Every structure is written in structure tokens, then in C-alpha cells.
Amino acid sequence: MDPVQIVCSLGHVATTDELFRRGISPRDIRAALQTGQITRATRGIYVCQHADDEQRQAAALHAQIACVSAVHRVGVWCGLDCALHLMRPADARGGGASARPLVDWNGRELQFHGATPRFARPGTPWLVAPIEAVWQAIHCLDEENAIACLESARHLKFITSAEQRRICVLAPARLQPGIRELEDTADSGLETLTRRRLRHHGFTVVAQGRIGTSTGSLREDLVVDDCVALEIDGRQWHGAEKLASDYDRDLCVEGLGRRTLRLSYRHVMFEWETTLAVIERTVADARRNRRSVRRIVGQNEPWW
Ligand SMILES: [Zn+2]
Ligand SMILES: [Zn+2]
């Protein structure tokens, strides 16, 4: 393999040591640099043309992408944090305050984590290990987003159940009540947030409830007080195919007399007060209408 292929295979960032270990000579590296297919991010670290801004920034600072920035790269929930979180290993070259600028070259805020990993799991030279990233993230995030991150990381198999348990045992006291409420039902962090907020508000919320139909059963993200179904953020997390089946389900659920509300990212993250008021009103209406709905459903199986 040539240096470019190796840099690509290592995630588009590679150190000189990694290249040497794979039989690449300094001369090979110089040749690849001349073609422009790889560039030197900083002394001893090379990136190929596929490396993104975060990777280039981390490489230039001899740092690893960490915490919420690391989990975000694989779609694990990380709330609204927009900063680039980095970890500079203890043996990183360079040092001093100048090695820790406050913003990156795009003006994005930089957050640095301590140099000593909590877990003895190897990451890569440019990315911390998954368990380390989640551990860091639950410290940087507020309570509800930290819990959503823990559920999301497990759901997406970014960490194993054993790793999740390990993190939970060691997690700070402020997160322990939320950890006792952890479930493995949520498809997304947004669903975790909605489920927990509604339960804390006093609703009974069943996650991934199934409703029987004449042709089988359908799954609903959340069922509130056994009378209103919530489908969360279909467009962001589901593909077009899933969207079509979402419409089928809405029709079927309405046919069974159960109201469905479809919530987007915006509804949960930025307009929660209004969203909650709508859910409260819909649940109150549904309760009032139960008796008449039962008559309309007719031959279908009662669902309450
Ligand atoms: Zn590449
Ligand atoms: Zn962080």
C-alpha cells in the first residue's frame, strides 16, 4: 500500500509512526506530499484530502477529537453543544497556553479535556475511545442530555452494555437518579428527552408500545396515558422508506381511534412549552372521547 491508502485506511489521519510501522519510508511520504494527496497537518501528522475540518484542527493541535464532538460523529445524541471538544494526550508534542487556543480557525469554540483518560481503552491518534468519549460527554452535558447520550450510545452500539454499566457506576451523583430511569427503548436522544419530560410531568408513558391490527402489529415510539401516540422526529432519523410506513401507521392508528402527534426536533428542543400544552390538550380530549371512540372502533380489538 502507498502512504495515501494507509492514511485513508486509518480514518484519513495518520502519524509518522503509524506510517513507518506499515513499511512506509520517509521518501515515500515525501513523494506523497509532492502529489498533494496528503498534507502535513503538523509535525509528525498527515491528513489526506478526505479529512474534515475537525480532524485537521485536532491534528494541528496534536489532539484527539473527544467528548460530544466524538459521539456526534457517529450520530450519538449530544444535545446542542456546538464547541469542538478535544483531548490532548499527555505525551502530545508542543505545550503551553498557545497549544490550547480558545477558538479554531473557523471561530468555533474549543473545549479541552484533561490529558489522562479515565479508561484504559485505546482510541486512535485523532479520536478518543468510544467509552472515553461517552464518559467525557456526560460530564459536559446537562442531566437530561447526558442521560439521552447514554441511551443513544448504547442503542447505536457505540458502547457495549458492559461499558454503559461501567460508566453508570462511576458517573457523578447528579446523574444517578436519571441513570436509574435508563431504558433501552429509545430510537433517538430526542425520544429519550420526550419520554422523560412527560413522565416527570406526571404522564404514564410507554415506549415502543405495540398496537394490534388485523394484519399484525405496529410499533409506536411513545404512548401517553394509553390514549395518544407520539412519533418522534421521523424525517431526521428515518429514511424515506421509513417515512412511507410512518404514514401507513398514522392512518392505522387513527383508524383505531388513537390520536397520533408527530414531533420534530424543533418541537422538542426549542418549543417544548407549546408542545407540552398541545400534548396535555390532546390527552385530555382523548380521555373524554374514549367512550365514543370505542363505539366507532367497532369490530377492532379494543386497545385500552
Ligand atoms: Zn482519505
Ligand atoms: Zn467535553
Side-chain angles (χ1 to χ4, degrees), residues 54-125:
E54 290 186 345
Q55 290 176 303
R56 290 170 194 273
Q57 181 70 71
L61 293 168
H62 291 281
Q64 292 167 293
I65 297 173
C67 188
V68 293
S69 303
V71 304
H72 179 67
R73 296 179 73 85
V74 291
V76 169
W77 184 260
C78 61
L80 294 168
D81 197 311
C82 295
L84 175 57
H85 292 237
L86 299 172
M87 178 167 152
R88 275 174 60 82
D91 58 354
R93 295 183 191 192
S98 62
R100 291 190 167 201
L102 296 176
V103 292
D104 73 2
W105 44 52
N106 295 318
R108 183 181 179 190
E109 185 192 347
L110 294 174
Q111 288 278 349
F112 285 92
H113 282 259
T116 311
R118 179 67 181 78
F119 301 95
R121 297 283 203 293
T124 71

Side-chain angles (χ1 to χ4, degrees), residues 1 23 40 46 63 73 85 109 133 135 210 252 254-255 288:
M1 281 210 282
R40 202 173 76 146
Y46 300 92
R73 296 179 73 85
H85 292 237
E109 185 192 347
W135 172 256
R210 299 199 83 88
C252 187
E254 288 286 341
R288 217 171 11 251

Side-chain angles (χ1 to χ4, degrees), residues 8 12 48 50:
C8 278
H12 316 299
C48 68
H50 310 112

Side-chain angles (χ1 to χ4, degrees), residues 4-5 7-9 11-13 37 47-51:
V4 182
Q5 286 175 308
V7 174
C8 278
S9 72
H12 316 299
V13 182
Q37 289 176 291
V47 296
C48 68
Q49 55 198 357
H50 310 112

